[in-house]
Amino acid sequence: MRVAHLTDIHFQVAPNFTELLAIKRLMGSTNLYILGRERKFNSEVQLAAIQQIVDWKPDLVLITGDVSAQALDAEFEMARKKLDPILSQFPTVIQAGNHDTYITEA
């Protein structure tokens, strides 16, 4: 059995003003966009990782958390779209990470 594992991909979309009213997101956005952590997550690398998994043709894909940076609806929509080449072809198990449940409302 071939198993592919993907973790901490951190798709990110800048939050709107009302989403920043949650203090955790305000702090997270400061870390991402002011202190520069966003540069650690490159969309080309994300897409290359997804393509590599598709090319491997695994029997199962495990995604172990943090598909989002701040649990924003727009980030989950982006993740669903970008991960579609995997999700549409292979059995996939996704476990939410701490960034996917960033605030209580997420």
Side-chain angles (χ1 to χ4, degrees), residues 81-97:
K81 181 180 175 185
K82 301 288 185 175
L83 291 169
D84 187 65
I86 292 172
L87 301 174
S88 65
Q89 294 184 62
F90 310 106
T92 304
V93 176
I94 301 174
Q95 172 62 51

Side-chain angles (χ1 to χ4, degrees), residues 2 5 10 17 23 25 28 40-41 48 50 59 63 84 86 89 95 97 101 103:
R2 296 182 73 175
H5 178 219
H10 289 270
F17 177 76
I23 191 69
R25 280 203 183 119
K40 299 214 180 248
F41 304 102
I50 291 165
D59 299 305
I63 301 175
D84 187 65
I86 292 172
Q89 294 184 62
Q95 172 62 51
T101 58
I103 61 171

Side-chain angles (χ1 to χ4, degrees), residues 14-88:
N16 63 42
F17 177 76
T18 57
E19 291 168 327
L20 286 175
L21 295 177
I23 191 69
K24 176 80 172 165
R25 280 203 183 119
L26 180 60
M27 292 169 37
S29 288
T30 299
N31 189 29
L32 279 170
Y33 302 111
I34 295 172
L35 300 178
R37 183 151 171 79
E38 73 174 318
R39 291 186 295 275
K40 299 214 180 248
F41 304 102
N42 180 298
S43 63
E44 290 177 20
V45 173
Q46 293 165 334
L47 295 177
I50 291 165
Q51 187 58 53
Q52 185 65 61
I53 289 172
V54 170
D55 292 346
W56 284 338
K57 297 181 177 28
D59 299 305
L60 176 67
V61 179
L62 301 175
I63 301 175
T64 54
D66 293 348
V67 297
S68 72
Q70 298 184 76
L72 298 168
D73 289 343
E75 291 174 338
F76 289 121
E77 290 170 21
M78 176 186 282
R80 176 65 179 96
K81 181 180 175 185
K82 301 288 185 175
L83 291 169
D84 187 65
I86 292 172
L87 301 174
S88 65

